[in-house]
Amino acid sequence: MSFAAGSIVKARDRDWIVLPGSNDDLLKVRPLGGSSVETTAIVRTLEPVEEASFAPPGPHDVGDYRSAQLLRDATVLGSRNSASAIRCFSRINVEPRSYQLVPLLMALKSAEESIRLLVADGVGVGKTIEALLIARELWDRGEIERLAVLCPPALAEQWHREMVEKFQFDATLVLASTAPKLEREVHTGESLFERYPVTVVSLDYIKSQRRRQEFLRTAPEFVIVDEAHTCVTGGQGRSHHMRYEVVGALAEDDGRHMVFATATPHTGSQGAFDALIGLLNPRLKDARGTVTDETMRKRLANHFVQRRREDITRFLDEDTRFPNREELESTYRLSPEYKKLFDAALSYARKSVGDTERGSRDHRVRWWSALALLRALGSSPAAAAATLRNRAATLSAESADAADEIGRRFVLDQESGEDSEVLDTVAGSDFTEEEEQGGSENRERRKLLELARQADRITFNTDNKLQGALEITSRLLQEGFNPILFCRYIATADYLATSLKERLKDTEVICVTGELPPAEREARIQ
């Protein structure tokens, strides 16, 4: 009996898939559900080979149509997994869109020693699925045995959920909060990343010098880097530099597969973009030449995929309906009381920044404190009052450069490390040193407290922005929506929630901020 390629046969008490290149005397086979490294050959004159089949049903095998259909579908999918070019389809709980297979096909056709791919599709296109498809395929082929996802701490649980629920990975979360418990399970001389083959790792946990060396020593053969633009240097600060040291060291191993995911590959810094492209291939280090150099562009095209939603709404005769985002800006006028406070704060900020008699460090502290005050004022009177009463965050800086780094983090929303989600607190504008309470310092503090009391006196009746928020929220509730209102500062969120609770008597209003423990915050969101 002859067996065609793709047939399922039974030999050695096991089911096999017949591969191309077989003939009547010699069958080239791979175990059904096995990996390519288990491929073998069977000489039919030496070993019996028969067509695989289910045993005939017996009297105790009575079932229903639905169960039989599930069994049949599972068998078909399992066979397709071994026989098709892409083997991971039967191991995933998601049906990829056609366009999401493009990065996988690019990875499989890579002629280089390792896969290096930058997936820069737009928000909502599915970069997580695209990256994990590659990982699952290599895993099922037996080409990798360990995998790590490096991502910002805020995204770690999302990655973990996707890996477990949709891609059947037994993934372990490695965060500052989970690592101590995990390390207690590690044997002497064993690394955390050797103990757990599939991990989701916080970039900000792993970037420190102590943890970095252990990770680099035992790093897996496949690494996915999410929000890759935050891992390259370009003048963005020490945090970016530390991440780049980790990712750059990983990329130096030519045999390591790496997939970088980001919706913003070019953040405006050419140096950072050059560094990111250089992680894909050292010959692409100077990315400035890619626009005009045809050879460089073709070389980059082997490593870089970027699509916007409008590019793939219609792809290979398949339509994808992305949600339409409706945007509306609602303007408001400051009330006379609020405008008076704003003018007073602006006058104070101009005067404090204009004082250049002190050293450069003090001047930068004043500069960032003034910006923090004005931004808080634009958020709410509660945020402004909190800022006016707090000491400036930049006051702890030892130099002008350090003050700039702290100021950018608080005022310009530049996160920094594992504690990034607590930066929804106000920064503070009182930059008088504790020990300097004489003369002008005392007068300055009295002025700040006077402004804070002025902010306290602004109520619902004199806050037109708050009144507008209530009007919009009420309209959305009447239309059947469950609105979510995002605020920049904790003080503003509390202020807004209190006002809405007083006026929306029949509506449950819940405030969720970074002050809550993670478990309680998650429970409130649910």
Side-chain angles (χ1 to χ4, degrees), residues 368 371-372 375 391-394 396 403-416 419-420 422-428 488-489:
W368 287 111
L371 289 178
R375 186 173 187 193
R391 297 178 72 238
T394 46
S396 60
D404 285 343
E405 184 170 347
I406 297 172
R408 290 191 188 98
R409 197 165 78 237
F410 275 90
V411 179
L412 304 182
D413 292 342
Q414 290 188 1
E415 47 77 30
S416 176
D419 62 345
S420 59
V422 305
L423 292 188
D424 48 357
T425 53
V426 291
R488 173 59 182 85
Y489 298 114

Side-chain angles (χ1 to χ4, degrees), residues 167-209:
F167 290 87
Q168 308 300 305
F169 281 118
D170 185 15
T172 301
L173 267 173
V174 182
L175 307 171
S177 57
T178 64
K181 181 180 178 181
L182 294 173
E183 288 170 346
R184 287 195 291 270
E185 304 294 327
V186 174
H187 300 308
T188 303
E190 184 183 34
S191 167
L192 180 67
F193 305 101
E194 293 172 322
R195 177 76 169 177
Y196 303 98
V198 181
T199 54
V200 180
V201 188
S202 162
L203 261 167
D204 293 314
Y205 169 78
I206 209 67
K207 72 185 181 185
S208 68
Q209 188 67 35

Side-chain angles (χ1 to χ4, degrees), residues 156-399:
E157 291 189 4
Q158 176 185 331
W159 271 96
H160 181 262
R161 186 167 53 249
E162 295 287 295
M163 295 176 75
V164 172
E165 296 177 359
K166 294 182 179 177
F167 290 87
Q168 308 300 305
F169 281 118
D170 185 15
T172 301
L173 267 173
V174 182
L175 307 171
S177 57
T178 64
K181 181 180 178 181
L182 294 173
E183 288 170 346
R184 287 195 291 270
E185 304 294 327
V186 174
H187 300 308
T188 303
E190 184 183 34
S191 167
L192 180 67
F193 305 101
E194 293 172 322
R195 177 76 169 177
Y196 303 98
V198 181
T199 54
V200 180
V201 188
S202 162
L203 261 167
D204 293 314
Y205 169 78
I206 209 67
K207 72 185 181 185
S208 68
Q209 188 67 35
R210 180 175 64 86
R211 303 185 185 104
R212 179 194 316 171
Q213 295 307 317
E214 178 193 359
F215 178 67
L216 293 177
R217 180 178 62 83
T218 59
E221 59 267 43
F222 190 103
V223 176
I224 297 172
V225 182
D226 192 22
E227 298 296 325
H229 63 280
T230 68
C231 303
V232 288
T233 53
Q236 297 99 328
R238 184 168 175 265
S239 182
H240 286 70
H241 181 70
M242 293 174 68
R243 294 176 194 163
Y244 181 67
E245 287 181 341
V246 176
V247 177
L250 291 171
E252 288 177 1
D253 184 349
D254 294 334
R256 177 172 287 115
H257 304 294
M258 298 188 73
V259 173
F260 303 88
T262 175
T264 51
H266 202 307
T267 57
S269 168
Q270 186 63 44
F273 182 66
D274 290 347
L276 180 58
I277 297 301
L279 295 173
L280 303 173
N281 188 322
R283 291 175 295 179
L284 297 171
K285 192 74 172 179
D286 184 9
R288 292 180 178 84
T290 57
V291 176
T292 56
D293 188 329
E294 189 68 21
T295 303
M296 289 285 282
R297 291 178 65 183
K298 289 182 177 179
R299 187 174 293 163
L300 178 60
N302 293 324
H303 302 276
F304 188 20
V305 56
Q306 182 179 31
R307 284 85 52 90
R308 300 166 300 171
R309 290 186 179 186
E310 51 266 36
D311 299 328
I312 51 180
T313 302
R314 179 77 174 171
F315 185 82
L316 296 181
D317 297 325
E318 181 183 47
D319 293 326
T320 302
R321 297 184 62 184
F322 293 103
N324 292 322
R325 178 174 177 172
E326 298 180 6
E327 297 184 17
L328 175 67
E329 287 191 4
S330 181
T331 60
Y332 66 96
R333 286 182 176 274
L334 292 173
S335 65
E337 293 84 357
Y338 210 144
K339 186 176 185 303
K340 183 178 179 182
L341 170 63
F342 214 108
D343 289 341
L346 191 60
S347 175
Y348 168 78
R350 285 198 181 107
K351 182 179 178 181
S352 64
V353 172
D355 181 6
T356 58
E357 294 182 1
R358 298 174 180 246
S360 59
R361 177 261 186 192
D362 287 345
H363 186 258
R364 300 308 292 173
V365 167
R366 288 170 174 268
W367 173 267
W368 287 111
S369 298
L371 289 178
L373 170 59
L374 295 178
R375 186 173 187 193
L377 260 174
S379 180
S380 70
T387 302
L388 288 161
R389 289 188 171 96
N390 286 351
R391 297 178 72 238
T394 46
L395 198 61
S396 60
E398 297 180 355
S399 65

Side-chain angles (χ1 to χ4, degrees), residues 41-239:
I42 299 177
V43 179
R44 297 187 63 188
T45 56
L46 300 178
E47 300 182 72
V49 179
E50 60 185 32
E51 186 176 9
S53 62
F54 287 112
H60 301 292
D61 297 325
V62 177
D64 54 37
Y65 171 78
R66 186 180 298 276
S67 299
Q69 186 71 27
L70 285 172
L71 177 61
R72 175 191 175 278
D73 291 345
T75 305
V76 170
L77 285 172
S79 302
R80 184 184 301 164
N81 170 55
S82 295
S84 67
I86 299 176
R87 306 191 59 207
C88 67
F89 284 163
S90 67
R91 306 291 182 89
I92 60 178
N93 290 336
V94 61
E95 184 175 350
R97 312 292 295 181
S98 297
Y99 69 81
Q100 291 175 329
L101 298 178
V102 172
L104 173 59
L105 296 176
M106 290 176 63
L108 294 179
K109 67 176 286 189
S110 174
E112 299 188 14
E113 180 180 354
S114 61
I115 295 170
R116 294 292 172 89
L117 201 61
L118 174 58
V119 181
D121 289 339
V123 175
V125 170
K127 294 183 292 298
T128 302
I129 290 176
E130 292 169 344
L132 289 176
L133 273 173
I134 299 172
R136 184 76 243 188
E137 179 66 20
L138 295 184
W139 187 279
D140 290 341
R141 288 170 177 249
E143 296 183 25
I144 61 172
E145 295 182 347
R146 294 191 300 137
L147 161 69
V149 175
L150 304 183
C151 62
L155 300 177
E157 291 189 4
Q158 176 185 331
W159 271 96
H160 181 262
R161 186 167 53 249
E162 295 287 295
M163 295 176 75
V164 172
E165 296 177 359
K166 294 182 179 177
F167 290 87
Q168 308 300 305
F169 281 118
D170 185 15
T172 301
L173 267 173
V174 182
L175 307 171
S177 57
T178 64
K181 181 180 178 181
L182 294 173
E183 288 170 346
R184 287 195 291 270
E185 304 294 327
V186 174
H187 300 308
T188 303
E190 184 183 34
S191 167
L192 180 67
F193 305 101
E194 293 172 322
R195 177 76 169 177
Y196 303 98
V198 181
T199 54
V200 180
V201 188
S202 162
L203 261 167
D204 293 314
Y205 169 78
I206 209 67
K207 72 185 181 185
S208 68
Q209 188 67 35
R210 180 175 64 86
R211 303 185 185 104
R212 179 194 316 171
Q213 295 307 317
E214 178 193 359
F215 178 67
L216 293 177
R217 180 178 62 83
T218 59
E221 59 267 43
F222 190 103
V223 176
I224 297 172
V225 182
D226 192 22
E227 298 296 325
H229 63 280
T230 68
C231 303
V232 288
T233 53
Q236 297 99 328
R238 184 168 175 265
S239 182

